[in-house]
Amino acid sequence: METSELLKKVRQIEIKTRGLSNNIFAGQYHSAFKGRGMAFSEVREYQFGDDTRDIDWKVTARYVRPYVKVFEEERELTVMLLIDVSGSKDFGTVSQMKRDVTTEIAATLAFSAIQNNDKIGVIFFSDKIEKFIPPQKGRRHILYIIRELIDFRPDDRQTDINQALKYLTNAIKKRCTAFLLSDFIDHGNYHDALTIANRKHDIVAIQVYDRRETELPAVGLMKVRDAETGQERWIDSSSKRVREAYRTWWDKRQAEMNAAFQKSRIDAVSIRTEDDYVKALLALFDKRN
């Protein structure tokens, strides 16, 4: 993409997604995603009803009367975006490709993060780690991320979510909130990696998919190509049996994915390319409150 065209696209996405994060997500994001925990603030004299486990015994001994530690919630978060950039993201049949919708969602989350004074970083992945952007703050950093979201082209085209989750666990030492944005078309098993990553971090899964992926149109003989492997084959979509077999495959894959989220205790939302992702994200935020 030419530099002038890229900058124009960056500006368009900034205007749209920053407006969404300012006007819609400000309060919901703040309350839905908590800080790392409770940080020590000060000590004060013990009052009736205080938890005895909070007594500061050193200060109590010094003043010969009980004092307790007072804690405050740590608000600042580190937010990571795990972005699937595999070949299957270059697909869309209604209004936008999956890659475009993912870019807008990621940018909206990024602006929501910096509005809350959080750090934001990105891991681009295919079947390997394509690029790691360490978490930072500030508008310039966000614009760099948006630029990469629009213009980044991966070396590989297949998907390995397992690899991305392992990298997150190793690269980010302190607890973070990680949004995993993918269509979850992955022939490997990422279920155990989800559970392990969610023990250390707060993982949120966002599936972006296209309506045409859920069912075949009855248009007769058609050539289909796997965007990740490059394999091609002819199928007869006029056959009801073929269409039903495809739909069964899709439903089974979705059920397995949702079961993995449930087992790992991960909050998740599925968004079609034609859907209003604002409503979907707000519903996700509300579920966490």
Side-chain angles (χ1 to χ4, degrees):
M1 189 180 292
E2 293 184 4
T3 302
S4 59
E5 185 184 350
L6 175 60
L7 292 175
K8 182 180 178 182
K9 184 71 172 174
V10 169
R11 183 61 178 156
Q12 288 173 342
I13 290 181
E14 180 194 8
I15 291 171
K16 179 176 181 178
T17 57
R18 186 173 61 177
L20 288 173
S21 64
N22 288 345
N23 301 326
I24 301 174
F25 294 122
Q28 286 87 344
Y29 172 92
H30 182 91
S31 58
F33 300 100
K34 310 300 182 186
R36 288 192 300 272
M38 305 303 289
F40 172 73
S41 175
E42 60 182 350
V43 294
R44 61 164 171 76
E45 277 198 65
Y46 176 86
Q47 298 175 2
F48 179 76
D50 286 338
D51 192 332
T52 55
R53 291 174 294 184
D54 292 335
I55 291 177
D56 188 320
W57 294 107
K58 289 184 179 179
V59 177
T60 296
R62 186 184 308 155
Y63 291 102
V64 202
R65 57 181 183 272
Y67 276 76
V68 293
K69 295 177 182 178
V70 178
F71 296 86
E72 291 182 351
E73 182 186 4
E74 285 185 308
R75 268 306 319 165
E76 183 180 297
L77 280 171
T78 295
V79 176
M80 292 298 301
L81 302 175
L82 278 64
I83 308 292
D84 178 356
V85 290
S86 62
S88 62
K89 298 305 287 301
D90 293 321
F91 183 81
T93 61
V94 182
S95 57
Q96 293 189 94
M97 290 195 298
K98 288 187 284 184
R99 183 184 300 278
D100 298 330
V101 176
T102 298
T103 294
E104 288 194 15
I105 293 172
T108 302
L109 293 170
F111 276 115
S112 297
I114 61 165
Q115 187 181 1
N116 202 51
N117 201 36
D118 297 335
K119 294 179 181 178
I120 182 87
V122 182
I123 296 172
F124 291 104
F125 72 94
S126 56
D127 60 352
K128 69 175 186 178
I129 303 305
E130 297 277 352
K131 185 166 188 172
F132 172 55
I133 302 176
Q136 294 182 34
K137 296 181 181 180
R139 179 175 176 270
R140 179 179 296 180
H141 181 62
I142 295 295
L143 295 181
Y144 169 61
I145 288 175
I146 295 175
R147 201 160 60 240
E148 289 298 299
L149 285 166
I150 295 170
D151 207 38
F152 185 81
R153 291 296 175 264
D155 293 332
D156 293 354
R157 297 187 63 79
Q158 298 191 48
T159 308
D160 191 341
I161 295 172
N162 184 59
Q163 179 93 339
L165 291 167
K166 285 183 177 178
Y167 186 87
L168 169 73
T169 303
N170 293 328
I172 307 299
K173 301 305 178 185
K174 293 183 178 179
R175 180 174 174 81
C176 75
T177 294
F179 294 94
L180 175 56
L181 288 93
S182 174
D183 53 17
F184 291 89
I185 297 176
D186 186 338
H187 301 298
N189 188 335
Y190 53 85
H191 302 175
D192 290 342
L194 270 178
T195 301
I196 293 169
N198 200 46
R199 285 174 185 159
K200 181 178 180 181
H201 302 296
D202 178 15
I203 309 293
V204 180
I206 300 176
Q207 182 195 31
V208 178
Y209 70 98
D210 191 88
R211 185 205 317 175
R212 187 53 64 208
E213 292 174 312
T214 69
E215 57 187 6
L216 290 175
V219 293
L221 200 62
M222 60 188 293
K223 182 191 283 188
V224 294
R225 180 176 181 271
D226 189 316
E228 298 196 0
T229 66
Q231 292 182 337
E232 295 181 342
R233 59 182 296 194
W234 289 92
I235 61 171
D236 182 8
S237 64
S238 63
S239 167
K240 184 179 179 181
R241 181 178 58 81
V242 170
R243 295 197 305 274
E244 287 178 348
Y246 182 88
R247 182 70 198 200
T248 299
W249 168 82
W250 171 265
D251 290 343
K252 180 182 177 184
R253 201 180 66 82
Q254 287 293 100
E256 290 173 349
M257 179 193 72
N258 289 323
F261 295 157
Q262 190 171 12
K263 183 178 178 181
S264 304
R265 298 184 177 180
I266 286 174
D267 289 324
V269 64
S270 293
I271 303 172
R272 292 192 307 182
T273 53
E274 65 199 271
D275 288 345
D276 182 351
Y277 65 82
V278 171
K279 289 182 180 178
L281 290 179
L282 286 175
L284 175 67
F285 293 175
D286 287 342
K287 187 165 64 174
R288 294 176 59 94
N289 286 326

